[in-house]
Amino acid sequence: MDVVCIGYRTDLAIRRAEGSQVTDCGDHIVVRTERNVVLTASSVIQPRLPRLAATVRQLAGDDDWRQSGELRLAWCRRARGLARYQDVETHPEFRRQALAGTLVGHAGRYGLADLGAVRLVMVADPDYHAFRLYESLGFRRTEDQVGFERTP
């Protein structure tokens, strides 16, 4: 099935990378998700008050990966010129210090410059506080994403 929606295309790529089974039924694909909005950007804006003292680096070593798995800090997956953010979070002790905005900005610039992405994709709950942060960094609403699930 040719999936046209960039939000679902990147969702499928992420689910496969996480080890989920994605079944193409020919005329439909079932995606289990809550109502979200797909935001996209072709560039990112520096946060109003960036955390310039923060060190932004790629994960290195088992301890970094363990912490990333525990905290689900950020994950970006490239697919057909798209770079998808997933699970951008900040440890509770370090919130309200502009770290998330700094990380999203840095990851976006990395995706565009180093990974060759032409469009950044973020799927977010429009009622969650981080949605405003993403818009402040240059992401704009592109499409609504509605999903449903059947309880086993």
XYZ file of all heavy atoms in Angstrom, residues 21-60:
306
model
N 5.422 -5.259 14.511
C 4.995 -5.903 13.272
C 3.975 -4.988 12.614
O 2.962 -4.637 13.203
C 4.344 -7.245 13.568
C 3.895 -7.955 12.332
C 4.428 -9.353 12.294
O 4.780 -9.895 13.301
N 4.482 -9.934 11.119
N 4.259 -4.589 11.380
C 3.357 -3.751 10.600
C 2.791 -4.609 9.488
O 3.549 -5.201 8.717
C 4.095 -2.525 10.018
C 3.166 -1.701 9.151
C 4.681 -1.685 11.142
N 1.473 -4.715 9.424
C 0.832 -5.569 8.430
C 0.135 -4.711 7.380
O -0.728 -3.901 7.702
C -0.195 -6.502 9.106
O 0.455 -7.228 10.141
C -0.803 -7.453 8.103
N 0.539 -4.903 6.145
C -0.092 -4.226 5.018
C -1.205 -5.141 4.517
O -0.942 -6.236 4.027
C 0.949 -3.978 3.928
C 0.395 -3.235 2.728
O -0.847 -3.084 2.610
O 1.207 -2.793 1.902
N -2.436 -4.704 4.666
C -3.589 -5.514 4.269
C -4.053 -5.205 2.848
O -5.132 -5.619 2.439
C -4.733 -5.294 5.252
S -4.326 -5.792 6.932
N -3.240 -4.470 2.117
C -3.591 -4.151 0.739
C -4.365 -2.854 0.619
O -3.943 -1.930 -0.051
N -5.509 -2.774 1.300
C -6.317 -1.557 1.215
C -6.310 -0.762 2.517
O -6.947 0.278 2.610
C -7.753 -1.878 0.809
C -8.468 -2.769 1.819
O -7.788 -3.331 2.706
O -9.698 -2.903 1.712
N -5.582 -1.237 3.531
C -5.477 -0.488 4.783
C -4.302 -0.982 5.627
O -3.826 -2.094 5.454
C -6.769 -0.566 5.596
C -7.048 -1.937 6.136
N -7.609 -2.941 5.371
C -6.822 -2.479 7.353
C -7.738 -4.032 6.103
N -7.258 -3.779 7.319
N -3.836 -0.088 6.486
C -2.828 -0.399 7.485
C -3.363 0.167 8.794
O -3.774 1.324 8.854
C -1.467 0.249 7.161
C -0.897 -0.339 5.861
C -0.485 0.047 8.310
C 0.361 0.338 5.376
N -3.365 -0.639 9.838
C -3.868 -0.176 11.129
C -2.705 0.386 11.940
O -1.683 -0.268 12.101
C -4.552 -1.308 11.910
C -4.982 -0.824 13.281
C -5.729 -1.853 11.113
N -2.840 1.629 12.427
C -1.818 2.272 13.249
C -2.467 2.600 14.585
O -3.505 3.246 14.642
C -1.284 3.562 12.592
C -0.295 4.254 13.505
C -0.665 3.247 11.238
N -1.843 2.149 15.658
C -2.383 2.403 16.990
C -1.769 3.688 17.539
O -0.599 3.707 17.889
C -2.082 1.238 17.905
C -2.767 -0.026 17.449
C -2.330 -1.216 18.263
N -2.914 -2.410 17.691
C -3.428 -3.387 18.398
N -3.398 -3.339 19.705
N -3.945 -4.425 17.804
N -2.571 4.730 17.609
C -2.083 6.013 18.091
C -3.263 6.853 18.554
O -4.400 6.621 18.166
C -1.292 6.750 16.976
O -0.730 7.927 17.509
C -2.174 7.114 15.806
N -2.973 7.820 19.396
C -3.992 8.767 19.802
C -4.061 9.881 18.776
O -3.221 9.973 17.895
C -3.639 9.353 21.181
C -3.619 8.305 22.275
C -3.226 8.882 23.612
O -3.313 10.110 23.796
O -2.833 8.096 24.477
N -5.023 10.782 18.916
C -5.144 11.922 18.008
C -3.912 12.810 18.175
O -3.565 13.218 19.263
C -6.386 12.746 18.335
C -6.527 13.952 17.442
C -7.697 14.816 17.895
N -7.672 16.067 17.177
C -7.040 17.153 17.592
N -6.363 17.142 18.705
N -7.063 18.265 16.887
N -3.255 13.089 17.088
C -2.067 13.921 17.104
C -2.079 14.871 15.917
O -2.845 14.698 14.977
C -0.796 13.070 17.037
C -0.539 12.338 18.327
O -0.597 12.918 19.394
N -0.270 11.051 18.234
N -1.217 15.843 15.972
C -1.026 16.773 14.869
C 0.378 16.569 14.341
O 1.334 16.436 15.099
C -1.211 18.235 15.338
C -0.796 19.213 14.253
C -2.647 18.474 15.752
N 0.516 16.534 13.036
C 1.817 16.411 12.396
C 2.338 17.816 12.152
O 1.686 18.640 11.524
C 1.711 15.640 11.064
C 3.069 15.565 10.387
C 1.143 14.245 11.299
N 3.523 18.094 12.682
C 4.188 19.374 12.480
C 5.413 19.117 11.623
O 6.089 18.103 11.798
C 4.634 19.971 13.816
C 3.518 20.246 14.803
C 3.741 19.428 16.055
C 3.470 21.709 15.119
N 5.715 20.024 10.710
C 6.902 19.871 9.887
C 7.645 21.194 9.804
O 7.077 22.258 10.039
C 6.559 19.395 8.454
O 5.736 20.366 7.822
C 5.864 18.048 8.469
N 8.917 21.115 9.464
C 9.746 22.309 9.286
C 10.855 21.979 8.299
O 11.334 20.849 8.250
C 10.349 22.754 10.617
N 11.257 22.962 7.526
C 12.399 22.778 6.636
C 13.623 23.513 7.184
O 14.686 23.495 6.608
C 12.074 23.260 5.223
O 11.651 24.604 5.258
N 13.440 24.175 8.323
C 14.536 24.803 9.062
C 14.061 24.950 10.500
O 12.873 24.822 10.776
C 14.904 26.172 8.478
O 13.820 27.066 8.610
N 14.989 25.183 11.408
C 14.608 25.370 12.807
C 15.100 26.729 13.299
O 16.131 27.226 12.852
C 15.142 24.250 13.730
C 14.399 22.956 13.504
C 16.625 24.044 13.551
N 14.335 27.288 14.201
C 14.657 28.579 14.794
C 15.358 28.326 16.121
O 14.974 27.430 16.877
C 13.365 29.386 15.023
C 12.667 29.642 13.685
C 13.640 30.687 15.760
C 11.252 30.160 13.819
N 16.373 29.103 16.416
C 17.068 28.995 17.704
C 16.067 29.296 18.822
O 15.272 30.216 18.714
C 18.224 30.011 17.744
C 19.042 29.978 18.996
C 20.091 28.873 18.977
O 19.951 27.866 18.310
N 21.143 29.070 19.708
N 16.052 28.522 19.910
C 15.165 28.832 21.028
C 15.410 30.260 21.531
O 16.519 30.784 21.419
C 15.554 27.814 22.100
C 16.280 26.742 21.382
C 16.901 27.372 20.177
N 14.385 30.851 22.089
C 14.480 32.226 22.593
C 15.610 32.362 23.595
O 16.382 33.310 23.576
C 13.143 32.647 23.213
C 13.056 34.106 23.576
C 11.653 34.506 24.007
N 11.126 33.694 25.094
C 11.354 33.920 26.382
N 12.097 34.913 26.765
N 10.828 33.143 27.300
N 15.718 31.416 24.497
C 16.788 31.402 25.501
C 17.499 30.045 25.438
O 17.281 29.183 26.283
C 16.210 31.626 26.898
C 15.485 32.951 27.128
C 14.765 32.948 28.465
C 16.469 34.101 27.065
N 18.361 29.848 24.443
C 19.001 28.534 24.317
C 19.908 28.234 25.501
O 20.467 29.131 26.117
C 19.816 28.654 23.026
C 20.076 30.108 22.896
C 18.873 30.806 23.482
N 20.036 26.983 25.799
C 20.909 26.527 26.884
C 22.291 26.293 26.290
O 22.676 25.171 25.980
C 20.340 25.258 27.511
C 21.130 24.723 28.660
C 21.028 25.665 29.884
N 21.864 25.202 30.938
C 21.470 24.391 31.918
N 20.225 23.999 31.978
N 22.313 24.000 32.832
N 23.030 27.384 26.091
C 24.315 27.310 25.400
C 25.375 26.549 26.189
O 26.324 26.027 25.617
C 24.803 28.715 25.052
C 23.865 29.498 24.126
C 24.397 30.900 23.908
C 23.665 28.777 22.802
N 25.221 26.464 27.494
C 26.200 25.742 28.308
C 26.005 24.226 28.227
O 26.872 23.475 28.643
C 26.106 26.202 29.766
N 24.879 23.799 27.677
C 24.614 22.366 27.575
C 25.524 21.740 26.528
O 25.851 22.351 25.520
C 23.157 22.134 27.191
N 25.945 20.522 26.785
C 26.742 19.773 25.818
C 25.796 18.882 25.037
O 25.101 18.050 25.613
C 27.800 18.908 26.540
O 28.648 19.763 27.304
C 28.617 18.112 25.541
N 25.770 19.078 23.730
C 24.944 18.249 22.863
C 25.889 17.373 22.061
O 26.766 17.865 21.363
C 24.081 19.120 21.918
C 23.242 18.236 21.002
C 23.196 20.062 22.717
N 25.738 16.058 22.209
C 26.622 15.125 21.523
C 25.857 13.851 21.215
O 24.801 13.593 21.777
C 27.836 14.802 22.383
C 27.470 14.140 23.706
C 28.706 13.765 24.512
N 28.369 13.227 25.796
C 27.901 12.005 26.027
N 27.687 11.175 25.028
N 27.620 11.596 27.247
N 26.392 13.074 20.315
C 25.799 11.789 20.013
C 26.034 10.843 21.180
O 26.983 11.014 21.953
C 26.393 11.209 18.740
C 26.016 11.995 17.503
C 26.542 11.333 16.240
O 27.236 10.318 16.273
N 26.213 11.915 15.106
N 25.173 9.845 21.301
C 25.337 8.848 22.354
C 26.570 8.005 22.074
O 26.849 7.648 20.935
C 24.106 7.952 22.425
C 22.778 8.672 22.677
C 21.639 7.669 22.678
C 22.821 9.446 23.972
N 27.311 7.703 23.144
C 28.525 6.900 23.000
C 28.622 5.950 24.190
O 28.627 6.379 25.331
C 29.758 7.802 22.950
